[in-house]
Amino acid sequence: MFAETIHNQRDFFQTGKTKDIPFRIQQLKTLKHAIIDHEAAIFNALKADLNKPLEESFTAEIVLVVKEIQYAIKNIKNWNKPKKAQIPWQFIPASAKIYPEPLGVVLIIGAWNYPFQLVIAPLIGAIAAGNCAIIKPSEIASQTSNLIFEIFEKYFDKSYLAAIEGGVETSQHLLAEKFDHIFFTGGNAVGKIVMEAAAKQLTPVTLELGGKSPCIVDTDIDIKIAARRITWGKFFNAGQSCLAPDYLLVDRKIKNNLLDEIKQCLQEFYGENPAKSPDYARIINQKQFDRLVNYLKDLKDAKIIIGGETTSEERYIAPTVIDSVSWEDAVMQEEIFGPILPIIEFTDIKEAVNIVNSQPKPLALYLFSQNKTLQKQIIRETVFGGGCINHILIHYTVPSLPFGGTGNSGIGSYHGKAGFDTFSHYKSVLKKPFLLDVKLLYPPYEGKLSLLRRIFG
Ligand code: NAD
């Protein structure tokens, strides 16, 4: 079905054009201009899909990728330089270098929550590394997907970069083709399908998945600032962030104070009735809305202490905080991916560490504490994709920090140089002159073992 586009991209790749650094830089600049020129249309599409506030679209979908592009343009020559490697003295005279080279034709599949940024940010790495690419945005954010398609039709030749629109079936047809790399952002269940399809073609994958990301709150904090950052990071995009703190693990000594502060922050951010706030997004579709509402209906001993209001026609769920949850509650059994924040208290930090380590490895972990010993302890004793100390989400926006999960939360990483590396093969080449040709390595071997032992052993 897409064989022709892939075939044309392979032909274009074979011309070697994408290996030129000025070509790559030019394409990155074109992408940047395309984004800047369509800023208003991108805002509108995101508003239509998610009622995403303009400011959230600007920071999390536009500025983020524009900065990534600028960073790539600035560093591409350096990233692309062959790097000298050391060689053992036994091989002297010789030299060795590692050459980055593009993989070829790559596929990028995106999710709906940041539907623009999640296909463009990996594409930046793919372009910088010299690949041809096909991107498939999520069909669930349909307005943004349409717009991406239009932008790509206008600015890029399909035999170099193509956007393909479609849902599960399209995705599966694409996955049946041979690519040189597949970069997937989405849920764990589909991640397994993607990896299985890729295995059939021996195609390497990057999987950017989700999970339940904990946020640990110690007593040694500025409680107002901590509450503000947590509230912002959780309810940004109505909680539909792979990186959102899924649940809070709070020292019981400060739990009540923290909850009071969170309540106050919610009023400051969204007013008395968040349904009327222009700064609060909506749930993407009815299926996700129903899933989230069921969490609220299906609580055992847990209590909704803030929010809980829902309006089906608008797909509105108020910022909601739940206390006294148990791991048996449905809300604790899977990634929430919505504006519901469960609270679990601990008396000793070891309990919090044990909880984190008893769960699948999360995409993010957040710690609020000024205690340096505790900061070190959490970093040493817990496993997670990446995170922040005393803030939420913002590590994602830093191009020099590779972003990716571990274990169930993903395979591989991107952003900045990590994106370039993901879409590159590093070719190691050792070079020798004809000068000196020690016969010790060649047959007949008789009598050479003890000397080989002395030289190489
Ligand atoms: P999803 O896995 O349902 O869909 C992602 C993409 O896969 C879409 O483009 C979709 O068309 C395609 N797809 C869906 N079903 C498929 C199938 N059976 N076969 C082949 N392709 C299929 O994910 P989603 O609902 O769009 O996004 C939510 C998930 O994504 C959450 O788990 C979230 O944590 C995760 N996520 C992760 C990151 C990250 O950077 N790690 C970012 C955003 C979202």
Side-chain angles (χ1 to χ4, degrees), residues 216-218 249 251 346-355 367 369 374 377-378 381:
I216 302 174
V217 189
D218 172 44
L249 285 166
D251 190 309
F346 64 84
T347 41
D348 183 329
I349 193 69
K350 282 205 183 91
E351 281 172 49
V353 169
N354 288 342
I355 288 174
L367 168 68
S369 177
L374 183 63
Q377 183 191 348
I378 295 298
E381 295 182 5

Short mmCIF file of all heavy atoms in Angstrom, two decimals, residues 216-218 249 251 346-355 367 369 374 377-378 381:
data_model
loop_
_atom_site.label_atom_id
_atom_site.label_comp_id
_atom_site.label_asym_id
_atom_site.label_seq_id
_atom_site.Cartn_x
_atom_site.Cartn_y
_atom_site.Cartn_z
N ILE A 216 7.54 11.61 44.65
CA ILE A 216 7.77 11.43 46.09
C ILE A 216 7.92 12.81 46.73
O ILE A 216 8.69 13.64 46.25
CB ILE A 216 9.07 10.60 46.32
CG1 ILE A 216 8.95 9.23 45.61
CG2 ILE A 216 9.34 10.43 47.80
CD1 ILE A 216 10.23 8.40 45.65
N VAL A 217 7.20 13.02 47.82
CA VAL A 217 7.29 14.32 48.49
C VAL A 217 7.73 14.12 49.94
O VAL A 217 7.04 13.49 50.74
CB VAL A 217 5.93 15.07 48.44
CG1 VAL A 217 6.12 16.50 48.96
CG2 VAL A 217 5.35 15.08 47.04
N ASP A 218 8.90 14.68 50.22
CA ASP A 218 9.50 14.61 51.55
C ASP A 218 9.05 15.84 52.36
O ASP A 218 8.39 16.73 51.82
CB ASP A 218 11.04 14.59 51.32
CG ASP A 218 11.85 14.72 52.57
OD1 ASP A 218 11.51 14.05 53.56
OD2 ASP A 218 12.84 15.50 52.57
N LEU A 249 3.48 10.05 46.40
CA LEU A 249 3.88 9.33 47.61
C LEU A 249 4.34 10.40 48.59
O LEU A 249 5.39 11.01 48.38
CB LEU A 249 5.06 8.39 47.28
CG LEU A 249 4.71 7.12 46.50
CD1 LEU A 249 5.98 6.48 45.94
CD2 LEU A 249 3.99 6.14 47.41
N ASP A 251 5.08 12.04 52.45
CA ASP A 251 5.37 11.82 53.87
C ASP A 251 4.12 12.24 54.67
O ASP A 251 3.62 13.35 54.48
CB ASP A 251 6.58 12.67 54.28
CG ASP A 251 7.07 12.29 55.67
OD1 ASP A 251 6.23 12.24 56.60
OD2 ASP A 251 8.26 12.04 55.81
N PHE A 346 3.41 7.79 53.24
CA PHE A 346 4.41 6.88 53.81
C PHE A 346 4.93 7.48 55.10
O PHE A 346 4.84 8.70 55.31
CB PHE A 346 5.56 6.61 52.82
CG PHE A 346 6.39 7.81 52.46
CD1 PHE A 346 7.45 8.23 53.26
CD2 PHE A 346 6.14 8.52 51.28
CE1 PHE A 346 8.22 9.34 52.92
CE2 PHE A 346 6.91 9.63 50.93
CZ PHE A 346 7.95 10.03 51.76
N THR A 347 5.47 6.62 55.99
CA THR A 347 6.04 7.15 57.23
C THR A 347 7.57 7.13 57.16
O THR A 347 8.23 7.94 57.78
CB THR A 347 5.58 6.32 58.45
OG1 THR A 347 5.60 4.94 58.08
CG2 THR A 347 4.20 6.69 58.89
N ASP A 348 8.09 6.22 56.37
CA ASP A 348 9.54 6.11 56.23
C ASP A 348 9.86 6.07 54.74
O ASP A 348 9.16 5.37 53.99
CB ASP A 348 9.96 4.80 56.92
CG ASP A 348 11.46 4.59 56.92
OD1 ASP A 348 12.10 5.05 55.95
OD2 ASP A 348 11.97 3.97 57.85
N ILE A 349 10.89 6.76 54.33
CA ILE A 349 11.21 6.86 52.90
C ILE A 349 11.43 5.47 52.28
O ILE A 349 11.17 5.27 51.09
CB ILE A 349 12.42 7.80 52.66
CG1 ILE A 349 12.58 8.16 51.19
CG2 ILE A 349 13.71 7.20 53.20
CD1 ILE A 349 11.51 9.05 50.64
N LYS A 350 11.86 4.53 53.13
CA LYS A 350 12.09 3.16 52.62
C LYS A 350 10.81 2.58 52.03
O LYS A 350 10.82 1.84 51.07
CB LYS A 350 12.60 2.25 53.73
CG LYS A 350 14.06 2.45 54.03
CD LYS A 350 14.68 1.19 54.66
CE LYS A 350 16.11 1.44 55.03
NZ LYS A 350 16.26 1.93 56.42
N GLU A 351 9.67 2.93 52.67
CA GLU A 351 8.38 2.44 52.15
C GLU A 351 8.16 2.97 50.74
O GLU A 351 7.71 2.24 49.85
CB GLU A 351 7.22 2.99 53.00
CG GLU A 351 6.97 2.32 54.30
CD GLU A 351 5.91 3.13 55.07
OE1 GLU A 351 4.87 3.46 54.49
OE2 GLU A 351 6.18 3.46 56.24
N ALA A 352 8.47 4.26 50.55
CA ALA A 352 8.27 4.87 49.22
C ALA A 352 9.17 4.18 48.20
O ALA A 352 8.73 3.84 47.09
CB ALA A 352 8.57 6.36 49.28
N VAL A 353 10.42 3.94 48.59
CA VAL A 353 11.37 3.28 47.67
C VAL A 353 10.86 1.88 47.33
O VAL A 353 10.87 1.47 46.16
CB VAL A 353 12.79 3.23 48.30
CG1 VAL A 353 13.72 2.33 47.50
CG2 VAL A 353 13.36 4.63 48.42
N ASN A 354 10.37 1.17 48.34
CA ASN A 354 9.87 -0.19 48.09
C ASN A 354 8.67 -0.18 47.15
O ASN A 354 8.54 -1.04 46.29
CB ASN A 354 9.47 -0.89 49.40
CG ASN A 354 10.71 -1.26 50.20
OD1 ASN A 354 11.83 -1.29 49.65
ND2 ASN A 354 10.54 -1.49 51.49
N ILE A 355 7.80 0.81 47.33
CA ILE A 355 6.62 0.90 46.44
C ILE A 355 7.09 1.12 45.01
O ILE A 355 6.66 0.42 44.09
CB ILE A 355 5.68 2.04 46.89
CG1 ILE A 355 4.96 1.64 48.18
CG2 ILE A 355 4.66 2.37 45.79
CD1 ILE A 355 4.11 2.72 48.80
N LEU A 367 11.12 13.84 42.67
CA LEU A 367 11.34 13.90 44.11
C LEU A 367 11.30 15.35 44.54
O LEU A 367 11.97 16.20 43.93
CB LEU A 367 12.71 13.29 44.46
CG LEU A 367 13.18 13.56 45.90
CD1 LEU A 367 12.30 12.82 46.91
CD2 LEU A 367 14.64 13.17 46.09
N SER A 369 12.44 17.37 47.60
CA SER A 369 13.18 17.37 48.85
C SER A 369 14.44 18.21 48.68
O SER A 369 15.07 18.19 47.62
CB SER A 369 13.60 15.95 49.24
OG SER A 369 14.37 16.00 50.42
N LEU A 374 18.99 12.42 50.85
CA LEU A 374 17.79 11.75 50.33
C LEU A 374 17.77 11.79 48.80
O LEU A 374 17.42 10.80 48.14
CB LEU A 374 16.53 12.43 50.90
CG LEU A 374 15.22 11.79 50.49
CD1 LEU A 374 15.13 10.36 51.01
CD2 LEU A 374 14.04 12.60 51.01
N GLN A 377 20.02 9.16 47.65
CA GLN A 377 19.44 7.83 47.94
C GLN A 377 18.40 7.44 46.90
O GLN A 377 18.38 6.32 46.38
CB GLN A 377 18.81 7.83 49.35
CG GLN A 377 18.26 6.48 49.74
CD GLN A 377 17.41 6.53 51.00
OE1 GLN A 377 17.39 7.54 51.72
NE2 GLN A 377 16.71 5.45 51.28
N ILE A 378 17.52 8.37 46.57
CA ILE A 378 16.44 8.06 45.61
C ILE A 378 17.05 7.78 44.23
O ILE A 378 16.64 6.83 43.55
CB ILE A 378 15.41 9.22 45.55
CG1 ILE A 378 14.70 9.36 46.90
CG2 ILE A 378 14.40 9.01 44.43
CD1 ILE A 378 13.88 8.16 47.34
N GLU A 381 18.69 4.29 44.50
CA GLU A 381 17.90 3.10 44.84
C GLU A 381 16.67 2.86 43.97
O GLU A 381 15.99 1.86 44.13
CB GLU A 381 17.48 3.18 46.31
CG GLU A 381 18.67 3.10 47.25
CD GLU A 381 18.28 3.13 48.72
OE1 GLU A 381 17.08 3.11 49.04
OE2 GLU A 381 19.21 3.19 49.55
#
